[in-house]
Amino acid sequence: MKFKFSILALLLEVAIIIMFGLYVEYNSSDAAQDALYPYFQDVHVMIFVGFGFLMTFLKKYGFSSVGINMLIAALGLQWGTLMQGFWHGKGRTIDINIKSMINADFSTAAALISFGALLGKTSPVQMLILTILEITLFACNEHLVTEVFEATDVGASMTIHAFGAYFGLAVALVLYRPGLKNKHENEESTYHSDIFAMIGTLFLWLFWPSFNSAIAYDQNYRTIAIVNTYYSLAACTVVTFALSSLVDERGKFSMVLIQNATLAGGVAIGTCADMPIYPFAAMCIGSFAAIVSVLGFKFLTPFMASKLHIQDTCGVHNLHGLPGILGGIAGIIATSIKNENRPAVHLTPLMQAAALGSTIGIALAGGLFTGAILKLPFLGQASDENCFDDSVYWEVPEEMNLPEIPPNNRDGHRSETMM
Amino acid sequence: MKFKFSILALLLEVAIIIMFGLYVEYNSSDAAQDALYPYFQDVHVMIFVGFGFLMTFLKKYGFSSVGINMLIAALGLQWGTLMQGFWHGKGRTIDINIKSMINADFSTAAALISFGALLGKTSPVQMLILTILEITLFACNEHLVTEVFEATDVGASMTIHAFGAYFGLAVALVLYRPGLKNKHENEESTYHSDIFAMIGTLFLWLFWPSFNSAIAYDQNYRTIAIVNTYYSLAACTVVTFALSSLVDERGKFSMVLIQNATLAGGVAIGTCADMPIYPFAAMCIGSFAAIVSVLGFKFLTPFMASKLHIQDTCGVHNLHGLPGILGGIAGIIATSIKNENRPAVHLTPLMQAAALGSTIGIALAGGLFTGAILKLPFLGQASDENCFDDSVYWEVPEEMNLPEIPPNNRDGHRSETMM
Amino acid sequence: MKFKFSILALLLEVAIIIMFGLYVEYNSSDAAQDALYPYFQDVHVMIFVGFGFLMTFLKKYGFSSVGINMLIAALGLQWGTLMQGFWHGKGRTIDINIKSMINADFSTAAALISFGALLGKTSPVQMLILTILEITLFACNEHLVTEVFEATDVGASMTIHAFGAYFGLAVALVLYRPGLKNKHENEESTYHSDIFAMIGTLFLWLFWPSFNSAIAYDQNYRTIAIVNTYYSLAACTVVTFALSSLVDERGKFSMVLIQNATLAGGVAIGTCADMPIYPFAAMCIGSFAAIVSVLGFKFLTPFMASKLHIQDTCGVHNLHGLPGILGGIAGIIATSIKNENRPAVHLTPLMQAAALGSTIGIALAGGLFTGAILKLPFLGQASDENCFDDSVYWEVPEEMNLPEIPPNNRDGHRSETMM
């Protein structure tokens, strides 16, 4: 991978810097945007700490989870600035301010969700290519949804979560690895890797109200989005705990559910977060998202892997895909019940449905196309047995590179192979 | 535990959603509250990351610490919204804005402190019940302190810290387990679990100025509260390091003290945080809190466990109880020295003392009552030997479930039983 | 160490409290400062979580990294308040507000950077002395740079980063340990210690825009500083990944580079962060910083250790020293190209160069002097074999104190000595 990765990364960075030199300027004319800085920082933490640590649950893939997450996001926010700027820009220049930085961070989230579906099975070179392609299509779809359909999606249930999930699942379908049909021995967590993942869960959970409100129209809408998201997540969490115990034969909680399904309420409330649907409705949406997400992890992910040949490492379908669709549907319902008018925008259920449909369509088509490119032989995928293993791409401390313990020694000492 | 926990959690969530539907509305009339959002987010991080990770120090109880902490807080903030709303509400509705969300988060802190005293010895079902009962009583006492006595307690030294600690200690007394008189083998830390706990310590320490200032009367009081808390904690930390070395026979630092006693300065400055007592006085209070807390951990906790039959897992008495009382006393002294008048409030040492007394009285009585309920046999407590062990309530990765290593193998391989 | 440390720490704290009592007052007259509170909190997290966890990469030195970091910062922010107050103060009093708290946190950063160079080789007593001496000199130099030379250094590339690095390297030269010429067996990471360190990296990376903008002249300058830092860091990160793979013979990423060199872009953009140099120029500076930093870690640090007798544990020269100088040079160039005038200040390349020169000169001289004091025999340094080992100064859980595994058992079980 040595030269391929380095050369591609450097070429991309040089090209981006040149484009920044040609097009990008400061825009400090809208001083009201400066008050968004705390919201930006919350989103920023979600992207790098939240997504990064959420994926550290795998026992031998923590370096890649948090490291490649950082790489994708750092590249993606630059590319996203350009892609969103080309659509939103007035005249020849792309104007940068706090709000455009929030949107740049947002655009990386779609790629990071797709990364979750593919975690452990792709190379850094592949992820560079995916990041560029996905964010390009993401910006097109976002333009379509917000400018053409004039739909609302303040928390991006559709444009980020559903888009990122179905894009990633389509790539996973193309890159299907029959050799991973039986569970890979590295595809599991350790006690401490599960606690690391909770760092990601909690920072996502805590700052989700900022994510869903950051680009709201004004402070009034913003406060409603904060309140709705806060209570949706709280209800989602209690229901997730209840169901996690209920679906387990011994009644025990499952870390994978607590780490993921507790967040589904943030995804599902996204589209109508800034609508005055009342907190109890937000809590219903959050509770329903928990149900969908828990059942998805328990039953749908294994089914998709074995029958549909879609291997979804982190279960992004259950955290982002289904709750994202749920959010889109909630938006359709909310706009059909309330005849809500925004400044300069008239929301209709038809346009909300068009937004949902276009998002999933573009995500699936784009994912299949991207998957086909990532499959090109010279990109050099890792073999099945090297999946979920940092040591393929990282220098890892010695303790992880130990020779396997001879079988006659295993019974008494199983733990030492682990950490 | 399977059905009991799930059914109770779902019933509570349904009941709460119904009550939200009946009573809760948005309140965006007070736009000044929106500027509190960064303060809210700091408090939010303290509740979920701060309290959650602070308790991960136990070697086999990290899932429960950070997970059940999340459950209690997610349930508690909904319940706290209702309980505080019933007292504070005008007319039939409960109004929600950023400030009420801060108060909702605050109300969970009392339950989380009590959880710290009981850590490792109660079941999730018991914690659901405790959360509901304690937050109900917390809201009553808070109403008494702030509305009836018109006492000040901006950083909640009394109403949260002392209340949560003495409530928890009273529960611990009722649930006393003679079988844990000799130290349980799981009641210790590992190297990495102690570092995880430092994540909790630091986020509590860093955001404590926000905790103590979030509900201050205006920005002027808020800045004073920030400054006082900042310097109180800094002084407390230096003194804690000094004493930690001093009380150890070999002069070594103790992680349990650094994780906990460094925070006592934030608790103790709480009541008079927003009074202009000057930074040097805040530093004296912080230093004194460090002394009380370190001595408490070193001498009082073992004494209470062996003589008073109060087993306080996290030593909340030393971090929240004693420094909370210290904070209450500091408030009495400060109001007697300075004849301070707040808008619409006249502070008197008598009323401050009444607030402290009522807080401890209600906490102790409420804790004894709650403990008696938690002891009901059908709630099914874990046996003594299953205490401090996640695997009773959680699916844990294999490495933690190993059979004990045969004794003849132990000498050379002691570490592997650990992680 | 028992009494020496405790007595010195207590004496310092008492002295500081007395000085606070004599000189320090609240200053709430400048209400505009209150809007800086979110910036303060970001910086606060960087100092305690960022610096603290960045240094936890060593396998047996995590308690000291995060704990002594906390001690230095808690002491340093008090001392820094006084030192900066003596220079900046008007009349006899030192006024405290949010901005002075930001500056107090800043002053600790210099000492923490020096701590990074010395990590594992000094005692807590030595670090108390270093903190007091370095912050005193830091405040003098900062006064010289900003008041006498009237130079700009908004993100403190020179006054914090270069100063802290060269001060620390000079101390390291004086405290040179020939016995550590061959790599100490504890001077390496483990898999999980490297992930802990990423917590530090990410919080530094994320909040660096706040660090570089916190003390900017007004919101307009602040937004430019945020934008420049954001894009500088993003470009720096992509280039660091590319070079990390390129300089490794097998093309693998190195955690030490990802943890550190990705941050060099934040250091190097510091001096001219608030100048309208355009984002593409910021990205060029960030990319160049990545190159300098990666090459420094790969080639310069080993050379300095073996030939110059400067043992730099964390490689602060590559993260703070060289990028700090690069930032100073960028500031000279930027002021010579743009004839920029600030309110009440006229920036000239000559004065920027004088600032850079004085900073490095004072840092080196101060470091040599401080090193000589720290070498005084009665301060009792640890022996070479006790370096990089928490158990010298901390009570550590049993698993870390195991006797070495007998050699005939090692082959199969190497990992168990580790965690």
Side-chain angles (χ1 to χ4, degrees):
Chain A
M1 90 158 181
K2 182 165 177 175
F3 293 107
K4 281 175 198 162
F5 173 82
S6 299
I7 291 170
L8 179 59
L10 290 175
L11 281 180
L12 285 171
E13 188 57 49
V14 169
I16 288 172
I17 291 179
I18 291 172
M19 281 190 273
F20 264 69
L22 294 175
Y23 299 116
V24 176
E25 290 195 1
Y26 303 106
N27 171 14
S28 51
S29 67
D30 189 352
Q33 305 300 350
D34 296 331
L36 293 180
Y37 187 62
Y39 296 81
F40 161 73
Q41 277 297 5
D42 291 353
V43 171
H44 212 36
V45 170
M46 292 175 75
I47 297 294
F48 286 83
V49 175
F51 281 103
F53 273 88
L54 184 61
M55 298 189 279
T56 56
F57 70 99
L58 288 171
K59 68 180 178 185
K60 290 186 174 181
Y61 211 63
F63 287 9
S64 297
S65 296
V66 76
I68 304 300
N69 184 88
M70 186 185 190
L71 171 66
I72 294 170
L75 175 66
L77 69 87
Q78 299 176 67
W79 187 250
T81 301
L82 293 171
M83 289 302 108
Q84 294 181 316
F86 285 135
W87 288 112
H88 296 306
K90 281 134 197 153
R92 273 185 53 87
T93 63
I94 296 171
D95 288 353
I96 302 294
N97 57 16
I98 305 296
K99 189 172 185 182
S100 76
M101 286 164 56
I102 293 173
N103 278 316
D105 265 33
F106 274 179
S107 68
T108 71
L112 296 176
I113 291 166
S114 302
F115 180 46
L118 305 169
L119 196 71
K121 299 169 297 190
T122 51
S123 69
V125 180
Q126 290 176 309
M127 290 316 299
L128 291 181
I129 298 169
L130 179 141
T131 302
I132 298 296
L133 294 177
E134 180 165 0
I135 290 179
T136 306
L137 292 169
F138 163 83
C140 294
N141 180 62
E142 192 200 31
H143 178 74
L144 199 66
V145 165
T146 57
E147 304 296 323
V148 178
F149 297 140
E150 294 195 331
T152 188
D153 195 19
V154 70
S157 303
M158 300 183 285
T159 54
I160 292 176
H161 295 289
F163 186 90
Y166 288 101
F167 191 101
L169 294 171
V171 175
L173 177 63
V174 179
L175 299 184
Y176 176 62
R177 288 171 178 267
L180 298 183
K181 209 155 186 173
N182 300 316
K183 203 185 165 200
H184 193 292
E185 64 163 328
N186 290 341
E187 201 180 355
E188 54 185 33
S189 64
T190 64
Y191 192 64
H192 280 175
S193 73
D194 267 329
I195 296 180
F196 277 121
M198 282 303 289
I199 298 174
T201 298
L202 286 176
F203 278 105
L204 288 170
W205 199 93
L206 292 167
F207 291 155
W208 215 295
S210 303
F211 190 96
N212 279 355
S213 68
I215 58 164
Y217 180 74
D218 65 13
Q219 190 60 47
N220 192 29
Y221 288 96
R222 197 166 292 129
T223 302
I224 290 173
I226 289 167
V227 169
N228 283 341
T229 307
Y230 178 73
Y231 287 107
S232 172
L233 283 167
C236 177
T237 299
V238 174
V239 175
T240 296
F241 271 90
L243 295 186
S244 178
S245 168
L246 205 61
V247 298
D248 185 75
E249 60 260 38
R250 292 160 304 168
K252 294 190 181 187
F253 300 127
S254 149
M255 262 309 209
V256 71
L257 293 176
I258 304 310
Q259 285 159 2
N260 290 280
T262 51
L263 300 167
V267 175
I269 195 66
T271 298
C272 50
D274 61 348
M275 299 182 194
I277 57 174
Y278 289 100
F280 87 93
M283 293 157 87
C284 291
I285 290 173
S287 302
F288 198 56
I291 296 169
V292 167
S293 188
V294 169
L295 296 179
F297 274 103
K298 186 76 183 174
F299 303 110
L300 199 54
T301 296
F303 171 81
M304 285 170 64
S306 60
K307 303 297 178 196
L308 305 184
H309 291 185
I310 299 174
Q311 293 158 330
D312 177 4
T313 310
C314 294
V316 301
H317 190 226
N318 314 303
L319 170 48
H320 302 280
L322 294 174
I325 290 182
L326 181 58
I329 294 171
I332 296 170
I333 295 171
T335 48
S336 60
I337 293 174
K338 287 218 170 182
N339 197 354
E340 182 165 328
N341 290 294
R342 302 290 172 86
V345 177
H346 181 69
L347 298 177
T348 69
L350 194 68
M351 285 303 168
Q352 293 296 127
L356 181 56
S358 93
T359 296
I360 292 171
I362 292 176
L364 288 174
L368 293 172
F369 170 75
T370 302
I373 289 180
L374 298 191
K375 221 178 174 174
L376 293 176
F378 71 88
L379 291 178
Q381 290 195 67
S383 68
D384 288 351
E385 69 191 26
N386 280 333
C387 282
F388 312 112
D389 189 344
D390 277 333
S391 65
V392 180
Y393 302 111
W394 294 81
E395 294 175 40
V396 296
E398 232 182 41
E399 102 234 57
M400 296 290 290
N401 276 331
L402 293 175
E404 279 297 304
I405 288 147
N408 61 340
N409 237 337
R410 278 211 180 161
D411 283 295
H413 311 118
R414 222 172 293 157
S415 72
E416 69 210 18
T417 61
M418 176 96 319
M419 310 194 46
Chain B
M1 91 156 181
K2 183 164 178 174
F3 294 108
K4 280 176 200 162
F5 173 82
S6 299
I7 291 170
L8 179 59
L10 290 175
L11 281 181
L12 285 171
E13 188 57 49
V14 169
I16 288 173
I17 291 179
I18 291 172
M19 281 189 274
F20 264 70
L22 293 174
Y23 299 114
V24 176
E25 290 196 1
Y26 303 105
N27 171 13
S28 51
S29 69
D30 189 351
Q33 304 301 349
D34 296 329
L36 293 180
Y37 187 61
Y39 296 81
F40 162 72
Q41 278 296 4
D42 291 352
V43 171
H44 213 33
V45 170
M46 291 175 76
I47 297 294
F48 286 83
V49 175
F51 281 103
F53 272 87
L54 184 61
M55 296 188 281
T56 57
F57 71 99
L58 288 171
K59 68 180 180 187
K60 290 187 173 180
Y61 211 63
F63 289 8
S64 297
S65 297
V66 76
I68 304 302
N69 184 87
M70 188 186 188
L71 171 66
I72 294 170
L75 174 66
L77 68 88
Q78 299 175 68
W79 188 249
T81 302
L82 294 170
M83 287 303 108
Q84 295 182 315
F86 285 135
W87 288 112
H88 296 306
K90 281 133 197 153
R92 274 186 51 88
T93 63
I94 296 170
D95 289 352
I96 302 294
N97 57 16
I98 305 296
K99 190 170 183 182
S100 77
M101 286 164 56
I102 293 173
N103 278 316
D105 264 33
F106 275 179
S107 69
T108 71
L112 296 176
I113 291 166
S114 301
F115 180 46
L118 304 169
L119 195 72
K121 299 169 296 189
T122 51
S123 70
V125 180
Q126 290 176 306
M127 289 316 299
L128 291 180
I129 298 169
L130 178 141
T131 302
I132 297 297
L133 294 177
E134 179 164 0
I135 290 178
T136 306
L137 292 170
F138 163 84
C140 294
N141 180 62
E142 192 200 31
H143 178 75
L144 200 64
V145 165
T146 57
E147 305 296 322
V148 178
F149 298 139
E150 295 195 330
T152 187
D153 195 19
V154 69
S157 303
M158 300 182 285
T159 53
I160 292 176
H161 295 288
F163 186 91
Y166 288 100
F167 191 102
L169 294 172
V171 176
L173 176 64
V174 179
L175 299 184
Y176 176 62
R177 288 170 178 266
L180 298 183
K181 209 155 185 173
N182 300 316
K183 206 186 163 200
H184 194 291
E185 62 163 329
N186 289 342
E187 201 179 356
E188 54 185 33
S189 63
T190 64
Y191 193 64
H192 281 175
S193 73
D194 267 328
I195 296 180
F196 277 121
M198 282 303 291
I199 298 174
T201 298
L202 286 176
F203 278 105
L204 288 169
W205 199 93
L206 292 167
F207 292 156
W208 215 295
S210 302
F211 190 96
N212 279 356
S213 68
I215 58 165
Y217 180 73
D218 65 14
Q219 190 60 46
N220 192 29
Y221 288 97
R222 197 167 291 129
T223 301
I224 289 173
I226 289 167
V227 169
N228 284 340
T229 307
Y230 178 72
Y231 287 107
S232 173
L233 283 166
C236 177
T237 299
V238 175
V239 174
T240 297
F241 270 89
L243 295 185
S244 178
S245 166
L246 205 60
V247 299
D248 185 74
E249 60 260 35
R250 291 161 306 169
K252 296 189 180 187
F253 300 127
S254 149
M255 263 309 211
V256 72
L257 293 176
I258 304 309
Q259 286 160 2
N260 290 281
T262 52
L263 300 167
V267 174
I269 195 65
T271 298
C272 50
D274 61 348
M275 299 182 194
I277 57 173
Y278 291 99
F280 87 92
M283 292 156 88
C284 291
I285 291 173
S287 302
F288 198 56
I291 296 169
V292 167
S293 188
V294 168
L295 297 180
F297 274 103
K298 186 76 182 175
F299 304 110
L300 198 54
T301 296
F303 171 81
M304 286 170 64
S306 60
K307 304 296 176 196
L308 306 184
H309 291 185
I310 300 174
Q311 293 157 331
D312 177 4
T313 309
C314 295
V316 302
H317 190 227
N318 314 303
L319 169 49
H320 302 279
L322 294 175
I325 290 182
L326 181 58
I329 294 171
I332 296 170
I333 296 171
T335 46
S336 60
I337 293 175
K338 288 216 171 186
N339 197 352
E340 183 166 328
N341 289 293
R342 301 291 172 86
V345 176
H346 181 70
L347 298 177
T348 68
L350 194 69
M351 286 303 168
Q352 293 296 126
L356 181 58
S358 93
T359 296
I360 292 172
I362 293 177
L364 288 174
L368 293 173
F369 170 75
T370 302
I373 290 181
L374 299 192
K375 222 178 174 173
L376 295 175
F378 71 90
L379 291 177
Q381 291 196 66
S383 67
D384 288 351
E385 69 191 26
N386 280 334
C387 283
F388 312 110
D389 189 344
D390 278 333
S391 66
V392 179
Y393 302 112
W394 295 81
E395 295 176 39
V396 295
E398 232 182 42
E399 104 235 56
M400 297 291 289
N401 275 332
L402 293 175
E404 279 296 303
I405 288 147
N408 60 341
N409 237 336
R410 280 213 179 160
D411 283 296
H413 310 118
R414 223 173 291 157
S415 72
E416 68 210 18
T417 60
M418 176 97 319
M419 310 193 46
Chain C
M1 91 158 180
K2 183 165 179 174
F3 293 107
K4 280 176 199 161
F5 172 83
S6 299
I7 290 170
L8 179 59
L10 289 175
L11 281 181
L12 285 171
E13 189 56 50
V14 169
I16 288 173
I17 292 179
I18 292 172
M19 281 189 274
F20 264 70
L22 294 174
Y23 299 115
V24 176
E25 288 196 2
Y26 304 106
N27 170 14
S28 52
S29 68
D30 189 352
Q33 304 301 350
D34 295 332
L36 293 180
Y37 187 62
Y39 295 81
F40 162 72
Q41 277 296 4
D42 291 352
V43 171
H44 212 35
V45 170
M46 292 175 75
I47 297 294
F48 286 83
V49 175
F51 281 102
F53 272 88
L54 184 61
M55 297 189 280
T56 57
F57 70 99
L58 289 171
K59 68 180 179 186
K60 289 187 173 179
Y61 211 63
F63 287 9
S64 297
S65 296
V66 76
I68 304 300
N69 184 88
M70 187 185 189
L71 171 66
I72 294 170
L75 174 66
L77 68 87
Q78 299 175 67
W79 187 249
T81 302
L82 293 171
M83 289 301 109
Q84 295 182 315
F86 285 136
W87 288 112
H88 297 306
K90 281 133 198 152
R92 275 186 51 88
T93 63
I94 295 171
D95 287 352
I96 301 294
N97 58 15
I98 305 295
K99 190 170 183 182
S100 77
M101 286 164 57
I102 293 174
N103 278 316
D105 265 32
F106 274 179
S107 68
T108 71
L112 296 175
I113 291 167
S114 302
F115 181 45
L118 305 170
L119 196 71
K121 298 168 298 189
T122 51
S123 70
V125 179
Q126 289 176 308
M127 290 315 300
L128 290 181
I129 298 169
L130 179 142
T131 301
I132 297 297
L133 293 178
E134 179 164 1
I135 290 180
T136 306
L137 292 170
F138 162 84
C140 294
N141 180 61
E142 192 200 30
H143 178 74
L144 199 64
V145 165
T146 57
E147 304 297 321
V148 178
F149 298 139
E150 295 195 331
T152 187
D153 195 20
V154 71
S157 303
M158 300 183 285
T159 53
I160 292 176
H161 295 289
F163 186 91
Y166 288 101
F167 192 100
L169 294 172
V171 176
L173 176 63
V174 179
L175 300 184
Y176 177 62
R177 289 172 179 265
L180 297 183
K181 209 155 185 174
N182 301 315
K183 205 186 163 198
H184 193 291
E185 63 163 328
N186 289 342
E187 201 180 355
E188 54 184 34
S189 64
T190 64
Y191 193 63
H192 281 176
S193 73
D194 267 329
I195 296 180
F196 277 120
M198 282 302 291
I199 297 173
T201 297
L202 287 175
F203 279 104
L204 287 170
W205 199 94
L206 292 166
F207 291 155
W208 214 296
S210 303
F211 190 96
N212 280 355
S213 68
I215 58 164
Y217 180 73
D218 64 14
Q219 190 59 47
N220 192 29
Y221 287 96
R222 197 167 290 129
T223 301
I224 288 174
I226 289 167
V227 169
N228 284 340
T229 307
Y230 179 72
Y231 287 107
S232 173
L233 283 166
C236 177
T237 300
V238 175
V239 174
T240 296
F241 270 90
L243 296 185
S244 178
S245 167
L246 204 61
V247 300
D248 185 75
E249 60 260 38
R250 290 160 307 168
K252 295 189 180 188
F253 300 127
S254 150
M255 261 308 207
V256 71
L257 293 176
I258 304 309
Q259 285 159 1
N260 290 281
T262 52
L263 300 167
V267 174
I269 196 66
T271 298
C272 50
D274 62 347
M275 299 181 194
I277 57 172
Y278 290 100
F280 86 93
M283 293 156 87
C284 290
I285 291 173
S287 302
F288 198 56
I291 295 169
V292 167
S293 188
V294 169
L295 296 180
F297 274 103
K298 186 76 183 176
F299 302 110
L300 199 53
T301 296
F303 171 81
M304 285 169 66
S306 60
K307 303 296 177 196
L308 306 185
H309 292 186
I310 299 173
Q311 293 158 331
D312 176 5
T313 310
C314 294
V316 301
H317 189 228
N318 315 301
L319 170 49
H320 301 279
L322 294 175
I325 290 183
L326 180 59
I329 294 172
I332 296 170
I333 296 172
T335 46
S336 59
I337 293 175
K338 289 215 170 187
N339 197 352
E340 183 166 328
N341 290 294
R342 302 290 172 85
V345 177
H346 180 70
L347 298 177
T348 68
L350 194 68
M351 286 302 168
Q352 293 296 127
L356 181 57
S358 93
T359 297
I360 292 173
I362 293 176
L364 288 174
L368 292 173
F369 170 75
T370 302
I373 290 180
L374 299 191
K375 222 176 173 174
L376 294 176
F378 70 89
L379 291 176
Q381 290 195 67
S383 67
D384 289 349
E385 69 191 26
N386 279 334
C387 283
F388 312 112
D389 189 344
D390 277 334
S391 65
V392 179
Y393 302 112
W394 295 81
E395 294 175 39
V396 296
E398 232 183 41
E399 104 235 55
M400 296 291 289
N401 276 332
L402 293 174
E404 280 297 304
I405 288 146
N408 60 340
N409 237 337
R410 279 212 180 162
D411 284 296
H413 310 116
R414 223 172 294 156
S415 72
E416 68 211 19
T417 59
M418 175 98 317
M419 310 193 46

